[in-house]
Amino acid sequence: MSLDHKLYQQGLQLQAVLNLEDCLDLVPDHISPFSQLIVLGHVGSSFFDQAEPAGNDPLDARAVDLFSDFMTRVGCEHYDVIYPFWHDALDLRSLGNLLGWHAESKLGIGIHPEFGTWFAYRLVAAADTSLPISETSHVSSPCETCVGKPCLKACPASATGDVFLLDNCTEERLRTDSNCAHRCLAREACPVGSRHRYSRRQIQYHYERSYRFLKEM
Ligand code: B12
Ligand code: SF4
Ligand code: SF4
C-alpha cells in the first residue's frame, strides 16, 4: 500500500517511512532531532514524463516541489530535505537495501525483483511527522536465478560480473565512438522488470548527465 496516492500518481511510486532512530547510522549527524525518515523513489518513466524539461536539474526540483506539497498536505512544517540537496551525504543504496528496494546486481546498480534496474531514489527527508512506519524486508537478487545472464555478454568492456568494474565501464564510455556514451547496453539486456524500462529519451537524459560528469572528472 502506498503512503500517498497523489505522490504515486505523480510518479513517485516508491515510498517509505522509517523511525529515524532505527537508521541513525545511515544519516548525517545534524538531522537527529527529527522523528521520521521519508524516502521516495521513481519507477519507470512516469515521473520523468511529468517533469518540465527546464532548469539545471528538473527532476530534483520536481521531487522537492512534490514533497513540500505533501508536507503541506499532512500539516508538517518541521522537516529537512537531505537528498537531493546533499548528493553524497548518505548512501542511498544502503538505505534501499534496508527498505527492500535494492539487491546487488551484476551491473553495479541495485536491482529489484519486480522493477529490475528501472528505478531510482529521488528524495530523502527527515521530518517531524507521525506517518505509518513501512515494513522493511530483504529482497534476494534475481541475478542468482537468471538463466544465461545476458548482461555479461552485452557489456563490451567486461565490466559486469560478481564485482562490477567501474573503471572498465568508465574507460569504455569515454572512448571515442563508444556505444555506451548515452546508454548502458548491459542494463538494457537485463530481462528483469523490462515492463518498467525507461523510455529512450529518459535513458539518454540520465546517461548524458553522468557522461558529462565523467568527462569533467
Ligand atoms: C556521485 C554519484 C555519481 C557520479 C560518480 C562519479 C564519482 N566518482 O564521483 C556519476 C555522476 C559518474 C554517477 C554515475 C552513475 N550513477 Co551515481 N551516484 C552518485 C551519488 C550522487 C553519490 C555517490 C557518492 O559520492 N557517495 C559517497 C561515497 C563516499 O560513497 P561511494 O560508495 O564511494 O560512492 C561512489 C560510488 O557510489 C560510485 N558510483 C556512483 N554512481 C554509481 C553507479 C554505479 C553503477 C556504480 C558501480 C558506482 C557508482 O561513485 C561514488 C564516488 O566515487 C549517488 C547517490 C547517493 N548519495 O548514494 C548516485 C547513485 C549511486 N548513482 C546511481 C546511478 C543510477 C548512476 C548511473 C547508472 C546513472 C546513469 N544512468 O548514468 C551512473 C552509472 C555509472 C556509469 N556506468 O557511468 C544510483 C544507483 C541506484 C541503484 N539502483 O543502485 C544512485 C544511488 C543515485 C540515485 N538517485 O538513485 N553517479
Ligand atoms: S541479466 Fe540476469 S544476471 Fe544480469 S543483471 Fe539482469 S538478472 Fe542479473
Ligand atoms: S555502460 Fe557499457 S561499459 Fe558500462 S556497464 Fe553498461 S554496457 Fe558495460
Side-chain angles (χ1 to χ4, degrees):
M1 201 181 68
S2 69
L3 174 72
D4 184 70
H5 185 61
K6 189 165 178 194
L7 284 176
Y8 188 98
Q9 285 184 316
Q10 288 162 329
L12 293 169
Q13 301 96 326
L14 291 174
Q15 309 174 353
V17 181
L18 295 169
N19 270 322
L20 197 55
E21 62 185 28
D22 294 339
C23 52
L24 280 180
D25 54 329
L26 288 176
V27 298
D29 293 343
H30 74 273
I31 63 150
S32 42
F34 294 89
S35 59
Q36 297 192 318
L37 193 75
I38 302 171
V39 191
L40 301 174
H42 77 237
V43 176
S45 286
S46 156
F47 178 80
F48 178 85
D49 289 348
Q50 295 178 62
E52 295 290 333
N56 248 355
D57 223 324
L59 301 189
D60 286 352
R62 176 170 154 77
V64 173
D65 281 355
L66 299 184
F67 180 72
S68 54
D69 173 63
F70 174 55
M71 285 293 98
T72 307
R73 286 188 284 114
V74 297
C76 176
E77 288 177 357
H78 193 210
Y79 63 89
D80 197 351
V81 174
I82 306 167
Y83 184 87
F85 287 158
W86 297 309
H87 266 247
D88 54 5
L90 76 184
D91 176 357
L92 294 175
R93 291 184 279 197
S94 297
L95 200 54
N97 216 338
L98 177 73
L99 293 170
W101 296 358
H102 171 119
E104 298 298 326
S105 78
K106 308 275 180 223
L107 299 162
I109 44 179
I111 193 163
H112 182 276
E114 182 184 349
F115 312 129
T117 62
W118 306 107
F119 73 95
Y121 307 89
R122 296 262 55 112
L123 184 136
V124 182
D128 271 338
T129 39
S130 314
L131 297 163
I133 300 295
S134 310
E135 272 176 35
T136 55
S137 58
H138 171 79
V139 285
S140 38
S141 175
C143 299
E144 286 164 20
T145 51
C146 175
V147 178
K149 301 190 178 15
C151 66
L152 302 184
K153 281 195 212 89
C155 175
S158 304
T160 47
D162 291 339
V163 177
F164 183 79
L165 303 174
L166 186 58
D167 287 349
N168 286 27
C169 168
T170 304
E171 199 178 311
E172 170 59 32
R173 292 193 66 198
L174 295 176
R175 194 178 54 76
T176 311
D177 296 330
S178 170
N179 287 325
C180 293
H182 299 141
R183 65 194 296 184
C184 171
L185 300 170
R187 188 176 184 179
E188 290 175 38
C190 175
V192 182
S194 56
R195 192 165 74 83
H196 302 282
R197 179 180 296 173
Y198 298 164
S199 61
R200 177 61 47 211
R201 202 165 67 91
Q202 185 177 358
I203 290 178
Q204 201 147 339
Y205 173 86
H206 291 301
Y207 280 90
E208 239 166 48
R209 287 183 74 92
S210 67
Y211 181 76
R212 256 188 280 134
F213 193 99
L214 291 172
K215 266 201 123 165
E216 285 161 14
M217 273 174 61

